Amino acid sequence: MYQYNSVFNEQIMITIKQLLNNKDNQIWSVEPKTSIFEALKIMSDKEIGALLVLEEKKLVGIFSERDYARKVILKGKSSKNTQVGKLMSKKVLYIDLEKTINDCMVIMTNKHVRHLPVIENDKVIGMVTIGDLVNQIISEQENTIQQLENYITGTYR
């Protein structure tokens, strides 16, 4: 019984730093002057849903599939003639390394976002997606179940 509680608490306390250490942390970005079409091509090639928008290595925005659907298609704009900087989301939410996955889930849920850049000393060092969080939680739950099964069957170590 106590083992379950400590494992459960560990799950909630996993930091963003730990999460980033367990994933391929490639950062995909474009400059504000990049065309929407080129940004979409990168997103398609990399199978990602958002790109960070960097200018001189500084985060100035984020461009997502949601931005495309709402700001290009619905407004009749041309993907080839419109720059990312014109339609990107300029107010970018982010998270730091010491926050937990629980903190991240709260932000993503409350603000209805699926991608959060990770910032350290004003520098982008990664990106956390809702998929990353779900995968981590599933992994931790599988671990907890295995530990409980081992405890119940007497094979607990």
Side-chain angles (χ1 to χ4, degrees):
M1 187 167 176
Y2 291 106
Q3 181 65 31
Y4 175 77
N5 288 336
S6 76
V7 170
F8 180 73
N9 288 336
E10 281 178 27
Q11 174 186 349
I12 292 173
M13 298 310 294
I14 293 169
T15 64
I16 298 305
K17 182 177 185 176
Q18 292 169 311
L19 178 68
L20 289 181
N21 287 337
N22 293 330
K23 69 174 256 180
D24 172 22
N25 201 28
Q26 181 68 45
I27 300 170
W28 299 107
S29 66
V30 293
E31 294 179 343
K33 65 182 178 184
T34 305
S35 74
I36 299 287
F37 183 81
E38 184 60 31
L40 291 171
K41 188 173 182 314
I42 294 168
M43 290 165 60
S44 175
D45 291 345
K46 304 303 178 191
E47 296 182 354
I48 56 176
L51 287 167
L52 297 177
V53 184
L54 303 178
E55 190 166 43
E56 298 177 13
K57 298 184 181 181
K58 183 181 178 202
L59 181 64
V60 295
I62 190 166
F63 182 75
S64 69
E65 293 168 334
R66 186 179 288 177
D67 290 319
Y68 177 69
R70 294 180 180 176
K71 298 174 184 174
V72 178
I73 297 291
L74 292 178
K75 295 190 177 186
K77 299 206 181 276
S78 166
S79 299
K80 291 185 178 181
N81 298 325
T82 306
Q83 296 179 339
V84 168
K86 302 280 186 201
L87 300 177
M88 68 185 179
S89 296
K90 293 178 183 172
K91 182 179 178 189
V92 181
L93 300 171
Y94 62 90
I95 196 153
D96 64 60
L97 288 172
E98 300 311 313
K99 297 293 185 189
T100 66
I101 62 170
N102 190 49
D103 296 327
C104 199
M105 289 282 283
V106 168
I107 293 168
M108 288 180 155
T109 301
N110 289 343
K111 299 298 183 177
H112 307 286
V113 296
R114 294 177 240 166
H115 306 86
L116 277 180
V118 181
I119 307 286
E120 181 180 50
N121 299 323
D122 294 327
K123 182 181 178 203
V124 177
I125 60 166
M127 173 91 88
V128 176
T129 69
I130 194 73
D132 296 333
L133 298 179
V134 169
N135 288 335
Q136 182 65 44
I137 290 168
I138 289 170
S139 175
E140 292 301 317
Q141 287 177 343
E142 287 172 350
N143 185 38
T144 300
I145 290 167
Q146 184 63 49
Q147 288 182 13
L148 289 170
E149 286 175 350
N150 291 344
Y151 179 77
I152 291 168
T153 61
T155 58
Y156 182 75
R157 299 178 206 134

